[in-house]
Amino acid sequence: MAYQSYLPRRDAELVTWSANFATKISAAPLTYGLTTSQAANYADFRDIFVQVYQTASSPATRSPTNIIIKDEKRSELVANTRQLVGIVQKYPGTTDPMRSELGINIPKQREPVPVPAVSPSIDLLRILGHEADIVLHTGVLSSIAKPDGVKGASVFYAVGETAPVNVNEWVFVMNTQKNKETVTFDLALTPGTKVWITAFWYNTRSQSGPAADPISTVINYGQPVMMSQQSLSKAA
């Protein structure tokens, strides 16, 4: 996850920021997951940068050469800072108040992704031979908008006079992020065979919600059978 840099862009502000960082980690390096040597080395990097910064900033000693040296030492300080901050951020004992005191980024807490709590409703739009056009929606409101947190739906079909209770008897058809899809049944099924369709919503973490109430139709001889116009209007 990208963050706005905690390091100041201006040299004068970096002098102040690094003084606080150096003081904190030098006082209790182990508290931040660092060693005494790492804290001491950081203080050395900072002292050198402050020295060359003052030299490059003074009217009496400001020169292109001294500015180049200052920029090089700044880069070294920044690189060492990022290295130590990386350790501090990953250290299990680092808390958000500690991060605030150091002046580094506080990781944003990700909002938990809810598991879909409702099942989709399925409307059959058309049956043509071994293909059925369906629309998935949110139920009572008959809206084709997906519930909050839902990425898509998994669709299944089964064969038989009644809808199977055993999940292993359902045939997986597809995962889809569309509300209108075509379910293709096994071409070996003879016309007149009763088939069932169900589906469930899944979220961005591929966690699934409850299955929809199955709907049924019958394989026909390739003649299109249109279903409710209300369903057709919802899928438009």
Side-chain angles (χ1 to χ4, degrees), residues 18 24 26 44 50 53-54 59 65 84 127 132 150 159 174-175 211:
S18 60
K24 296 292 185 184
S26 296
D44 290 340
V50 172
Y53 162 72
Q54 292 173 343
T65 298
L84 297 190
I127 179 70
V150 166
V159 179
M174 70 181 80
N175 288 327

Side-chain angles (χ1 to χ4, degrees), residues 17 20 24 32 89 94-107:
W17 184 94
N20 174 72
K24 296 292 185 184
Y32 300 99
Q89 290 284 33
T94 304
T95 64
D96 287 348
M98 292 165 63
R99 293 182 176 95
S100 179
E101 290 178 357
L102 290 175
I104 63 178
N105 290 330
I106 297 176

Side-chain angles (χ1 to χ4, degrees), residues 33-203:
L34 303 174
T35 66
T36 302
S37 176
Q38 287 173 321
N41 288 339
Y42 183 81
D44 290 340
F45 275 109
R46 181 186 179 275
D47 289 344
I48 294 172
F49 169 68
V50 172
Q51 180 181 348
V52 297
Y53 162 72
Q54 292 173 343
T55 300
S57 301
S58 173
T61 54
R62 183 176 178 83
S63 68
T65 298
N66 286 337
I67 292 174
I68 291 173
I69 294 174
K70 181 266 298 181
D71 289 342
E72 289 176 349
K73 297 306 177 182
R74 176 191 168 96
S75 296
E76 292 176 4
L77 175 63
V78 167
N80 188 245
T81 301
R82 295 191 186 282
Q83 179 184 7
L84 297 190
V85 168
I87 296 172
V88 172
Q89 290 284 33
K90 295 177 182 178
Y91 182 60
T94 304
T95 64
D96 287 348
M98 292 165 63
R99 293 182 176 95
S100 179
E101 290 178 357
L102 290 175
I104 63 178
N105 290 330
I106 297 176
K108 294 182 179 179
Q109 298 296 323
R110 293 186 177 182
E111 292 293 331
V113 179
V115 176
V118 298
S119 59
S121 293
I122 308 173
D123 283 347
L124 180 63
L125 305 181
R126 184 187 71 159
I127 179 70
L128 173 61
H130 290 75
E131 293 185 344
D133 294 337
I134 62 170
V135 62
L136 304 170
H137 57 91
T138 55
V140 177
L141 297 179
S142 298
S143 169
I144 63 171
K146 299 182 184 69
D148 291 341
V150 166
K151 182 178 181 180
S154 298
V155 182
F156 302 80
Y157 82 81
V159 179
E161 285 303 311
T162 59
V165 176
N166 189 337
V167 295
N168 295 326
E169 296 181 34
W170 290 92
V171 178
F172 174 74
V173 179
M174 70 181 80
N175 288 327
T176 179
Q177 296 181 35
K178 300 178 181 179
N179 290 86
K180 182 180 178 182
E181 278 290 1
T182 298
V183 177
T184 301
F185 305 105
D186 187 345
L187 297 179
L189 297 176
T190 59
T193 301
K194 190 173 184 179
V195 288
W196 297 83
I197 303 171
T198 189
F200 57 73
W201 299 122
Y202 62 85
N203 63 16

